Amino acid sequence: MYVALSGLDLALGIFLLPAWLLAAVTTGLQPGRRTAGRMRRMSRIALVLVSLALLLTAARLLVYGLLARQGWVFAGDRRLFTTFLMLLPGVLATAVWTVPWLASAARVRLPDRDAPVPLQEQSRARSPRHVVPPRLAAFGGFGCFAQLFLPPDRSFWISLCTYGLLTAAAAALLVWRANARLQRMSTGREIPWQRALAVRLGWAVAVLAAVMGLVNHAIAGSRLPHTFSMMKGEADWGGGAAGQHHSMAGGHPMATGTGGAGEVSVDQLRGPTRGTPDRRFSLTAQAKKVKLASGTTVDAWTYNGQIPGPQLRVTEGDLVEIKLRNGLPGKTPVTLHWHGVDVPNREDGVAGATQDAVLPGQSFTYRFRVKESGTRWYHSHQAASEQVDRGLFGALIIEPKKQRRPVDKDVSVIAHDWQTDKGTVPAIGACDELEQRRAEPGEKVRMRLTNTSGATREFAVDGVPYKVTALDGTDVHKPTALKGKKLLLGGGNRMDVEFTMPDGPVRVTDGSAPDAGIVYSPNGTGKVKANLSGPEFDPYGYGSPKRTELGPDSDFDRTYRLVFDEWLGLYDGSFGLKQTINGRVFPDTPMLMIKEGDLARATFINRGSEDHPMHLHGHHMLVLSKNGKRASGSPMWQDTVLVRPGEEVQVAFKADNPGIWMDHCHNFFHSKLGMVMHLAYDNVTTPYEIGGPVGNKPE
């Protein structure tokens, strides 16, 4: 519903401008008709166009009312000011003064249609109260269109004064021009058309020059500094007591990594440096042309020459060591991030925050002890919108110490969009065709669904009842059997699905590639139709409740409110749809400050038009509610929480892993457009910076 209303609001905002422009032009032309018949005809045309513009305005106000029913946050801000302060004054004046005049002029009886219009009647028609209101409404229509380019979440009083003064100035200018025109007409001293044309051309050149100057200035001002601290954003203490770091910019210890007593560098927050690893892996990033199952070629970046990268399997409690080597061509640096694993901060693999990215020919070793189990994955966190897209990712499976639900087949189903020589091709792993596999009746199968792309994906399991046994690797408490549901996974999310193989075939399908997928059958040749039309699976009410360390009624030390929005503008020199958090883009987004041991609650509000899977590094979030309704099923512990347009999702977490942690939208193209912030412990510093000699780029 919200998406439809938001789209309708956008369309109305675009059409209001030409509608009011046409109304203003025809209303202005009406007094200039030299014969009574032409004036009446123009009055009728103007009345129709003004009525249409009024109807569009009424429709927009109705849409605002419907949006406000979902929460005032979805109707306020730019919409409030541009419509109510800039558009409505002209609209109301048009309804009060212009419409009655046009209606009267359109109904007049004409004894002689070709009779000239008396000068007195022309003067009445040119009265500012008749011609100015539609022009003022057109100015407001421009404001409604321009709101697409205005930053959200500006100060209420600044917005009130700014838009109010702009409207007052526009009204004063229009009235002055109308009075001047009326006075010239009454005295018979009209400006020659040649002079009027020259003046208009002069104004057009001046305005064009001013616009070009402003655009060039904006492009230069939007560029990010060559080097800056990851901690540049404004500190948000969540309503709790502020710590020692009050300024995160410039030469503060947080930025330089050299601090006072009690401060800890991210380099000190590392895994065990001694001891023989239980599992040791080596991953080499290298470029390679790889063929998908269909023969389509991917110009990929790989780990160890394969896409996805090698599956890493470890056991809860293992000391794990992974050596990353960079064998990519040119000067392309890489890192490794362990998505959903609460590693020590130095092992998190975020370029510019926890390490410098690894340059070609160099290596970096990660060491950490695994203290959890479940479905995870790994990927580069350096220019991730490109590097993950091209293949630098793989599955990480952490087996529990005590196997709670033994299965016969344990399968990773990694859904990804590959950029190929034939365009974008969705696939499961490297298979973009329907894949046939064997499974005997009675075998227990676990499918670990993973979405490594940014867009939300829909999965379906057909041919058998199944259970969702884990979300983001955390077990669901007492899951129940499902059938015919659409399983939604946001970017970075995982979902474990388990079933017992029946006598007939079972199909797992990614909705992005409905003709592909995996079919299990006893003879390996089974057929079953994919059904992606079922209702969506609701994880908020699935499974059974269970006591948790924190919950909706906990005594929280920090409370954060984060509103996700978008606006057209320049970011780092490029024009695009900037993705904002509380009206700002990285590095000016809020930095969530916290102290070790704090309990924190965060409310995510999405008033944009796209899904935002919000991923907090180093912590798991307990999902408390959606749209004000508390979660009633199994506790949902997630590292990536999907927030869809029009939704308000509340989560909680405990500050039990000190560091400087990235918190961002896991649609990496949104991260690239500014939707990045950080969770920073008040006593932790970092010596690393964005940019610099290795070109750290953490998105």
Side-chain angles (χ1 to χ4, degrees):
M1 182 67 172
Y2 173 83
V3 175
L5 288 173
S6 185
L8 182 57
D9 172 53
L10 174 62
L12 288 170
I14 293 172
F15 286 118
L16 274 171
L17 176 57
W20 278 112
L21 278 175
L22 287 171
V25 168
T26 53
T27 305
L29 289 174
Q30 185 254 10
R33 303 304 89 183
R34 298 301 180 183
T35 65
R38 290 181 178 179
M39 178 176 275
R40 187 177 72 164
R41 185 166 59 250
M42 186 57 71
S43 298
R44 291 175 175 176
I45 294 172
L47 183 61
V48 169
L49 292 173
V50 167
S51 299
L52 177 61
L54 287 170
L55 285 173
L56 289 175
T57 304
R60 195 172 211 216
L61 293 176
L62 176 62
V63 169
Y64 283 175
L66 295 173
L67 285 170
R69 291 182 63 184
Q70 293 194 230
W72 181 244
V73 67
F74 297 110
D77 196 51
R78 295 170 295 180
R79 290 167 170 155
L80 169 70
F81 291 109
T82 55
T83 300
F84 285 82
L85 287 182
M86 299 181 74
L87 180 62
L88 279 190
V91 170
L92 293 174
T94 299
V96 171
W97 290 316
T98 306
V99 170
W101 163 254
L102 289 175
S104 174
R107 291 195 306 267
V108 67
R109 294 179 180 271
L110 303 173
D112 184 1
R113 297 172 55 87
D114 297 323
V117 179
L119 184 62
Q120 182 180 4
E121 192 66 20
Q122 290 188 39
S123 297
R124 283 185 59 200
R126 291 190 187 278
S127 169
R129 70 165 53 193
H130 297 154
V131 297
V132 166
R135 295 176 184 178
L136 185 60
F139 170 78
F142 175 76
C144 290
F145 173 75
Q147 79 172 26
L148 300 172
F149 304 90
L150 300 174
D153 280 321
R154 300 297 90 181
S155 161
F156 176 86
W157 295 108
I158 290 177
S159 297
L160 183 68
C161 294
T162 300
Y163 297 134
L165 288 173
L166 280 173
T167 304
L173 177 62
L174 290 170
V175 169
W176 174 78
R177 282 178 56 84
N179 279 326
R181 179 76 183 273
L182 188 60
Q183 186 176 6
R184 288 196 302 270
M185 182 179 149
S186 62
T187 59
R189 293 185 292 182
E190 290 280 355
I191 300 176
W193 70 268
Q194 297 92 340
R195 180 181 170 190
L197 179 61
V199 170
R200 286 185 172 88
L201 286 175
W203 273 108
V205 170
V207 168
L208 181 61
V211 168
M212 293 301 294
L214 289 172
V215 168
N216 287 330
H217 177 74
I219 291 174
S222 73
R223 295 193 183 279
L224 299 178
H226 177 67
T227 301
F228 62 94
S229 169
M230 196 73 141
M231 315 307 294
K232 188 177 181 293
E234 182 178 352
D236 180 355
W237 293 94
Q244 58 183 307
H245 296 299
H246 298 277
S247 172
M248 299 300 136
H252 190 272
M254 181 69 84
T256 62
T258 57
E263 290 188 343
V264 178
S265 169
V266 298
D267 282 337
Q268 298 172 261
L269 301 171
R270 60 191 309 168
T273 57
R274 297 181 180 179
T276 302
D278 298 292
R279 298 301 307 271
R280 182 181 279 121
F281 302 97
S282 179
L283 296 174
T284 300
Q286 52 192 172
K288 184 178 179 181
K289 288 189 181 296
V290 182
K291 288 186 181 292
L292 302 180
S294 65
T296 304
T297 301
V298 179
D299 189 9
W301 288 350
T302 72
Y303 289 122
N304 295 1
Q306 61 188 75
I307 56 170
Q311 183 183 107
L312 308 183
R313 278 191 174 263
V314 300
T315 302
E316 180 184 5
D318 280 354
L319 176 59
V320 181
E321 180 179 288
I322 308 98
K323 187 170 185 178
L324 169 65
R325 295 182 176 88
N326 188 353
L328 292 175
K331 299 180 179 180
T332 306
V334 297
T335 69
L336 272 175
H337 167 63
W338 314 100
H339 187 113
V341 186
D342 297 345
V343 297
N345 196 215
R346 182 265 187 189
E347 316 299 338
D348 196 43
V350 178
T354 64
Q355 69 173 92
D356 279 330
V358 183
L359 290 169
Q362 298 182 358
S363 64
F364 189 94
T365 300
Y366 301 87
R367 284 173 62 98
F368 52 88
R369 189 170 295 280
V370 180
K371 298 180 180 179
E372 55 206 286
S373 63
T375 306
R376 307 294 194 268
W377 63 298
Y378 63 89
H379 60 80
S380 176
H381 225 304
Q382 159 72 19
S385 59
E386 178 186 13
Q387 296 195 1
V388 176
D389 195 47
R390 295 186 68 170
L392 289 181
F393 65 88
L396 172 62
I397 310 301
I398 308 172
E399 301 283 3
K401 273 186 178 180
K402 296 181 179 179
Q403 190 62 258
R404 293 180 286 274
R405 295 182 309 277
V407 295
D408 300 297
K409 295 187 183 300
D410 193 330
V411 185
S412 285
V413 179
I414 301 179
H416 192 73
D417 291 327
W418 297 105
Q419 306 307 315
T420 75
D421 54 352
K422 297 180 180 178
T424 301
V425 175
I428 292 178
C431 186
D432 56 340
E433 297 181 332
L434 188 62
E435 183 180 3
Q436 295 281 353
R437 298 185 185 182
R438 290 179 178 272
E440 296 299 323
E443 284 190 320
K444 295 186 180 299
V445 182
R446 177 185 295 130
M447 312 288 288
R448 301 178 185 267
L449 310 180
T450 304
N451 180 8
T452 59
S453 295
T456 301
R457 303 181 95 97
E458 298 176 348
F459 290 85
V461 180
D462 296 297
V464 68
Y466 58 89
K467 294 179 180 180
V468 173
T469 56
L471 298 171
D472 280 3
T474 302
D475 286 347
V476 173
H477 185 235
K478 296 183 179 179
T480 54
L482 300 169
K483 197 168 186 179
K485 297 283 188 178
K486 279 192 298 190
L487 307 175
L488 263 62
L489 269 74
N493 279 137
R494 288 90 59 216
M495 183 183 292
D496 288 12
V497 172
E498 297 183 18
F499 58 86
T500 300
M501 188 66 194
D503 293 334
V506 175
R507 178 169 178 170
V508 178
T509 309
D510 169 17
S512 301
D515 295 328
I518 303 172
V519 177
Y520 278 98
S521 61
N523 60 8
T525 60
K527 292 182 179 181
V528 60
K529 186 178 180 181
N531 179 18
L532 293 158
S533 61
E536 290 182 3
F537 166 64
D538 178 19
Y540 286 80
Y542 182 69
S544 298
K546 180 181 177 182
R547 288 182 62 87
T548 53
E549 181 182 1
L550 67 163
D553 300 319
S554 296
D555 185 13
F556 293 102
D557 303 286
R558 313 277 170 188
T559 299
Y560 309 104
R561 183 175 183 269
L562 303 161
V563 180
F564 310 135
D565 211 329
E566 58 204 15
W567 55 291
L568 286 166
L570 294 159
Y571 185 63
D572 200 18
S574 298
F575 184 80
L577 190 64
K578 298 197 284 188
Q579 304 291 329
T580 68
I581 303 174
N582 291 357
R584 300 183 180 276
V585 289
F586 179 76
D588 299 318
T589 45
M591 184 149 53
L592 310 183
M593 299 301 300
I594 204 163
K595 295 182 179 182
E596 189 171 1
D598 282 351
L599 296 183
R601 177 174 55 198
T603 302
F604 300 139
I605 301 171
N606 184 357
R607 67 179 185 202
S609 61
E610 299 181 81
D611 291 358
H612 295 306
M614 298 307 296
H615 175 47
L616 173 61
H617 290 210
H619 302 75
H620 278 69
M621 299 172 280
L622 176 66
V623 182
L624 303 177
S625 66
K626 181 170 76 171
N627 297 335
K629 184 179 179 180
R630 289 188 177 184
S632 58
S634 172
M636 292 173 59
W637 289 97
Q638 294 190 279
D639 52 73
T640 308
V641 176
L642 178 62
V643 190
R644 312 200 80 182
E647 289 185 351
E648 178 178 312
V649 178
Q650 195 170 80
V651 302
F653 61 92
K654 184 176 182 179
D656 56 4
N657 193 5
I660 296 169
W661 300 101
M662 204 165 176
D663 190 358
H664 64 105
C665 179
H666 216 272
N667 182 328
F668 284 119
F669 294 98
H670 292 174
S671 296
K672 188 176 181 179
L673 290 169
M675 193 166 278
V676 174
M677 56 185 171
H678 295 87
L679 176 74
Y681 284 65
D682 71 324
N683 65 326
V684 180
T685 68
T686 177
Y688 305 108
E689 293 182 315
I690 307 297
V694 300
N696 288 324
K697 192 175 181 181
E699 55 85 6

